[in-house]
Amino acid sequence: MPLLVKLHAKDNVAIAVAPISAGTEVMDGIVASHDIPQAHKIALTDIPAGGEIIRYGVVLGYAIDPIQKGDWINETMLVLPTPPSVDNMEYGKNIVTDLPKAPVTTFEGYRNPNGGYAGTRNLLGISTTVQCVTGVLNVAVKRMREELLPKYPNVDGIVPINHAYGCGVAINAPEAKVPIRTLRNLTKHPNFGGQLMVVGLGCEKLTVDKLLDEADINPENVIILQEQAGFDAMIQALMDMADKKLQILNKRRRETLPLSDLCIGMQCGGSDAFSGVTANPSAGYAADMLVQAGATVMFSEVTEVRDGVHMIAERCVSKEVCDKLAAEMRWYDNYLLAGQVDRSANPTPGNKKGGLSNIVEKAMGSIAKSGTSPIVEVLSPAERPSKKGLIYAATPASDIVCGPCQLASGITLQVFMTGRGTPYGLAAAPVIKVCSRNEMKAMWQDLIDINAGPIATGEATIADIGTELFYKIINVASGREKSFAEKYELYNDLCIFNPAPIT
């Protein structure tokens, strides 16, 4: 097993495959001068104060003090570089069309009655206009699952879209369009089979007309709790409507569909320094296979691409796509500035413990999950796509906010890469977990679906794990398998991105 992983010829650091004891000769002429934790960096050359620290062939930062060959390099030892400008970025310079060929080009999915992406699950989604209805709805959903769902074996489950938006909000603020767009798009998620069910209170600012088209606002689809004569009447109305919707959903059947009907999301969280070596590149390989077969793949997380935005721009197929990318980066720069922070606020204590020194290093690894395909479209948070292929969907990097944004954009399955581990999951779409280290899989053998760790130890290639992941995606999307997060129903609360004021 190799002791170190060096990714690029220009790199003057490498990361430890396993913990290294001080005094160990890690390469010819290089002896570790400190104990070096797994995934952390060791200096391969002497680096002067102010000198560049390079990994991925990219300057991660500048040394605060002189660093000697063999020294441990951690987050306290370097200064963050200036982010790349988003003005006048070059596009179309790195358009790769020779993608790995997908071994299959179909999956078993649910045709979408509204057109567009197919469903991977058959769910009753119940949308809400305001948090105030959550208590009543949760009681009703418990009864629905116990009393109604057993009658409809072809329905996979019931998903309440509970959220913290809807009242006490500046509903007409310019950025209120983000949470409104999110919730509106969720009502017609492909996994909900075209059945609309909306629960409102009656006095909230997020009125039903902001979620539904006028033609869909009727007693068949909408229940207003303030119009019901007490708790029992509320529960009965919800049960009656759900029963009618479930009868219709129960008639749905999977069909063999082309992968062009599939839309998946790529996300990473609890990342470490191996994420960009093993898990994310494997996901990128699978993404390239999916795109080659006609599928749509979304990747996201603005702060985790910001330092590599020029690399993404080079893969944009047109000036229009590149300009939208630049606009989303500028918007987020200003959003962070208004909060008196910048992208350096992103790395977590766990990221740093896992060897990631700063956001530049994290971003270089994060981008790897996008593969090499051309970027055909850039979306604002929770926006629906108009193209098929690889799409950059601008979202916050927070796992539990990015997920709902991607759901609103239409993903019906998510692939989630992690180095430190997280039991994260989504109720509205299955989530496949890919870990970056063998140790993570050994620790969480019943939570991690795919282990990319063998890449670091030389026992597998990126293509090997990427192909394994591709087949896992097809099998989970087709309902032949469940991911661990879905099996255990590890569903996070739905956190809607709201950059608008709360009144």
Side-chain angles (χ1 to χ4, degrees):
M1 185 178 77
L3 295 178
L4 301 176
V5 173
K6 179 182 175 182
L7 293 174
H8 193 280
K10 291 173 58 178
D11 292 356
N12 59 6
V13 301
I15 64 169
V17 174
I20 295 172
S21 299
T24 302
E25 186 173 16
V26 294
M27 294 175 65
D28 288 344
I30 301 176
V31 176
S33 53
H34 309 83
D35 290 340
I36 299 175
Q38 183 186 36
H40 282 243
K41 291 178 288 298
I42 184 172
L44 302 180
T45 63
D46 293 338
I47 304 172
E52 296 176 341
I53 296 171
I54 302 172
R55 185 175 178 230
Y56 295 103
V58 170
V59 176
L60 303 184
Y62 304 95
I64 296 172
D65 298 307
I67 297 170
Q68 303 301 311
K69 181 169 61 175
D71 283 355
W72 171 30
I73 298 176
N74 60 48
E75 73 276 7
T76 66
M77 301 170 68
L78 64 169
V79 175
L80 193 67
T82 302
S85 172
V86 297
D87 297 328
N88 303 312
M89 293 191 296
E90 295 184 281
Y91 64 90
K93 282 184 60 179
N94 186 19
I95 302 298
V96 176
T97 56
D98 184 19
L99 302 173
K101 187 173 182 181
V104 299
T105 58
T106 62
F107 76 111
E108 303 300 311
Y110 293 99
R111 194 177 298 278
N112 190 338
N114 295 321
Y117 300 123
T120 62
R121 295 296 182 266
N122 186 24
L123 301 166
L124 172 60
I126 306 177
S127 296
T128 61
T129 60
V130 67
Q131 174 70 17
C132 309
V133 307
T134 295
V136 171
L137 179 57
N138 285 349
V139 171
V141 168
K142 184 175 184 293
R143 280 190 55 186
M144 291 172 195
R145 289 169 176 160
E146 293 172 350
E147 300 174 24
L148 299 181
L149 205 53
K151 298 193 299 181
Y152 304 109
N154 297 319
V155 181
D156 296 315
I158 300 171
V159 178
I161 307 298
N162 293 320
H163 57 89
Y165 195 68
C167 203
V169 296
I171 200 73
N172 295 317
E175 299 308 335
K177 65 186 178 185
V178 175
I180 295 172
R181 178 169 60 215
T182 303
L183 293 167
R184 183 179 178 87
N185 284 343
L186 283 172
T187 64
K188 294 187 177 181
H189 190 273
N191 284 346
F192 297 161
Q195 294 306 302
L196 296 171
M197 183 169 173
V198 177
V199 183
L201 181 60
C203 58
E204 59 273 26
K205 289 186 176 181
L206 185 68
T207 49
V208 172
D209 59 286
K210 290 181 170 61
L211 292 188
L212 299 180
D213 296 334
E214 184 178 354
D216 294 324
I217 302 174
N218 56 59
E220 297 300 311
N221 297 328
V222 179
I223 293 173
I224 302 299
L225 296 188
Q226 288 178 348
E227 296 175 358
Q228 305 299 316
F231 175 75
D232 286 342
M234 294 175 191
I235 298 298
Q236 192 59 54
L238 291 165
M239 294 286 286
D240 291 345
M241 182 178 287
D243 195 33
K244 293 175 183 177
K245 304 292 184 182
L246 289 166
Q247 289 178 38
I248 298 169
L249 290 172
N250 197 54
K251 297 175 183 177
R252 297 181 83 200
R253 297 293 185 274
R254 291 186 183 271
E255 305 174 43
T256 300
L257 299 171
L259 284 182
S260 57
D261 284 352
L262 181 64
C263 179
I264 76 160
M266 295 286 181
Q267 188 183 349
C268 51
S271 301
D272 68 358
F274 281 116
S275 293
V277 178
T278 61
N280 287 354
S282 299
Y285 191 91
D288 283 347
M289 279 186 164
L290 289 161
V291 170
Q292 188 274 331
T296 296
V297 177
M298 293 182 190
F299 72 110
S300 299
E301 301 168 274
V302 172
T303 53
E304 295 182 15
V305 304
R306 180 64 179 84
D307 283 275
V309 67
H310 51 295
M311 301 175 186
I312 295 175
E314 290 178 354
R315 294 165 57 194
C316 290
V317 298
S318 68
K319 185 177 186 300
E320 178 186 12
V321 176
C322 183
D323 287 348
K324 181 72 180 290
L325 176 66
E328 292 300 329
M329 296 298 117
R330 288 191 196 97
W331 185 94
Y332 217 90
D333 285 350
N334 292 330
Y335 170 69
L336 293 175
L337 184 62
Q340 300 182 42
V341 297
D342 63 19
R343 88 260 195 232
S344 68
N346 176 305
T348 67
N351 295 152
K352 295 172 183 177
K353 189 174 181 180
L356 292 173
S357 291
N358 62 21
I359 187 57
V360 181
E361 187 172 13
K362 189 176 182 182
M364 292 306 110
S366 177
I367 289 170
K369 66 179 176 282
S370 68
T372 63
S373 303
I375 296 168
V376 299
E377 191 169 22
V378 172
L379 305 178
S380 299
E383 194 174 26
R384 283 288 177 91
S386 62
K387 304 283 196 309
K388 293 188 177 185
L390 181 65
I391 291 174
Y392 178 69
T395 75
S398 166
D399 303 341
I400 57 173
V401 179
C402 175
C405 284
Q406 288 192 347
L407 282 174
S409 291
I411 68 158
T412 56
L413 180 150
Q414 191 180 69
V415 181
F416 191 102
M417 283 61 68
T418 186
R420 307 297 296 170
T422 171
Y424 161 93
L426 297 168
V431 176
I432 296 170
K433 293 281 174 50
V434 183
C435 72
S436 68
R437 300 176 295 128
N438 292 333
E439 292 81 0
M440 184 76 256
K441 176 61 176 175
M443 175 71 74
W444 279 12
Q445 51 84 26
D446 57 353
L447 288 169
I448 299 296
D449 300 291
I450 300 286
N451 176 24
I455 296 170
T457 57
E459 301 165 282
T461 66
I462 289 170
D464 292 336
I465 305 300
T467 302
E468 180 186 357
L469 175 57
F470 174 87
Y471 279 114
K472 188 75 172 182
I473 291 167
I474 300 303
N475 286 333
V476 172
S478 300
R480 293 189 285 265
E481 297 180 18
K482 286 187 176 183
S483 67
F484 284 122
E486 182 181 26
K487 174 184 175 183
Y488 301 132
E489 299 183 354
L490 304 179
Y491 304 146
N492 284 86
D493 293 338
L494 203 70
C495 296
I496 301 301
F497 182 34
N498 175 30
I502 302 284
T503 60

